[in-house]
Amino acid sequence: MKAVGFTGFGGPEVMRILDLPEPHAGPGQVRIRVTAAAVHPSDVNARLGVMAEHSPDRFPPAEVYVVGWDAAGVIDEVGEGVRAELAVGAEAIALLEPKLALGAQAEYVVAPADSVVRAPRGVDLASASTLLMNALTARMALDALELPPGATVAVTGAAGAVGGYAVQLAKAAGLTVIADAAEKDRDLVTDLGADHVRPRGDGFAERVRELCPDGADGVVDGAVMNEAVAAAVRDGGGIATVQGFAGATDRGVRWHPVFVYDRLRDTTALTELRDHAESGTLTLRVAATYPAERAGEAQRLFEVGGVRGRPVLLF
């Protein structure tokens, strides 16, 4: 089968089409004939060798690497013990762990049934492939903060994929949202539902305090501002981070590093996110589509910066 991957670390030029054996579904698994697979910044980190250096348990040495978290396509094999909605011929989306040659960017992927849900109705598969990894990360961040309806959450990186989903999920949960945005993204972030939009950058924490003198009840740091965002949260509040950062716990502030690995098989959460996409509560954003042969070009978008939504590879 055709897969997108690399055999050695380096620049976008190491990305290539690989010819790998077809996988087959075993008990508790489904196989998906992939139509579309989203591209994420973590794919770039994998290709550069950053994942291998910092997370060797999650990214062990291999002769061939296939990356990608999100696959969307049609189920064509079902193992024993799989729930009824995941039948052969059903359109589905899957959240995979991109380890060794097991990533999502391939013609066929095999996934635990717990990590697969029916695709959202009324949504094309390219758009559907942009949902699970980023939306689950946003969901986990908000779950970690445990904010009650009516509380205020500040979201950095609100125009990005994780931040945008965090804004929309926070509004669906009855929270007041203060979000950051560059001037060119103000309308986008407002349309996502943010109650207040403030300029992005190092002064964001002070701008939050202009609206909430005591600070927001919680922060989702999608922009990876780390310690620079700490002043935005009130005493005793929480900050959810997406790259493992945990700062000082002064003022009773709690840091919550979020790792999507921890809930790859949370079928209930994946189903709820699918339902949010189906109802329009979550906006699916495709930055651009590429044939699989142009995976390196898709990854270059993140090196240029300013990507809104996710590039998607088509198979």
Side-chain angles (χ1 to χ4, degrees):
M1 71 167 182
K2 180 170 68 175
V4 174
F6 51 92
T7 57
F9 303 128
E13 68 280 356
V14 305
M15 299 299 298
R16 65 192 64 186
I17 296 297
L18 305 168
D19 185 14
L20 300 179
E22 283 188 18
H24 294 281
Q29 297 177 326
V30 300
R31 188 174 85 161
I32 297 173
R33 173 64 171 90
V34 177
T35 299
V39 180
H40 297 285
S42 61
D43 301 341
V44 177
N45 288 335
R47 185 249 299 160
L48 291 172
V50 175
M51 296 289 289
E53 179 180 356
H54 295 289
S55 301
D57 55 331
R58 290 173 172 160
F59 203 84
E63 293 183 0
V64 171
Y65 300 93
V66 176
V67 294
W69 295 83
D70 286 294
V74 178
I75 295 173
D76 73 343
E77 286 184 6
V78 176
E80 296 179 0
V82 171
R83 63 191 191 277
E85 76 164 354
L86 303 181
V88 171
E91 291 189 340
I93 51 178
L95 183 58
L96 293 96
E97 182 177 1
K99 177 185 289 187
L100 307 175
L102 303 176
Q105 294 171 14
E107 281 187 291
Y108 296 94
V109 297
V110 169
D114 292 345
S115 300
V116 181
V117 295
R118 175 183 56 77
R121 294 188 180 96
V123 174
D124 65 273
L125 289 174
S127 297
S129 76
T130 67
L131 174 64
L132 292 180
M133 190 271 208
N134 291 130
L136 182 59
T137 302
R139 162 76 183 267
M140 291 173 67
L142 290 166
D143 287 351
L145 296 177
E146 297 182 297
L147 300 176
T152 298
V153 63
V155 178
T156 70
V162 172
Y165 285 139
V167 169
Q168 293 188 302
L169 289 170
K171 289 305 300 176
L175 304 179
T176 297
V177 178
I178 304 172
D180 71 347
E183 186 59 36
K184 65 184 178 65
D185 292 321
R186 285 187 63 88
D187 290 345
L188 166 64
V189 174
T190 299
D191 289 344
L192 290 173
D195 297 284
H196 307 280
V197 180
R198 292 294 180 263
R200 64 179 298 180
D202 292 340
F204 180 66
E206 290 71 26
R207 298 178 186 113
V208 170
R209 291 274 180 163
E210 292 171 0
L211 293 167
C212 301
D214 293 331
D217 297 301
V219 174
V220 175
D221 187 19
V224 197
M225 293 178 65
N226 297 334
E227 194 68 58
V229 82
V233 71
R234 64 169 172 79
D235 293 359
I239 304 172
T241 63
V242 296
Q243 289 191 5
F245 182 82
T249 56
D250 59 332
R251 300 191 294 116
V253 172
R254 293 160 291 126
W255 294 81
H256 303 279
V258 170
F259 299 99
V260 74
Y261 294 96
D262 296 337
R263 289 173 65 179
L264 292 176
R265 297 193 179 194
D266 188 341
T267 311
T268 299
L270 300 182
T271 301
E272 290 176 355
L273 294 169
R274 185 275 314 283
D275 291 345
H276 279 315
E278 197 166 272
S279 69
T281 299
L282 292 179
T283 302
L284 308 180
R285 294 182 285 156
V286 175
T289 59
Y290 298 85
E293 291 78 7
R294 292 168 59 193
E297 185 177 339
Q299 288 193 7
R300 283 191 183 95
L301 288 185
F302 294 111
E303 296 177 344
V304 173
V307 179
R308 299 295 173 250
R310 284 289 175 258
V312 174
L313 302 182
L314 302 179
F315 288 84

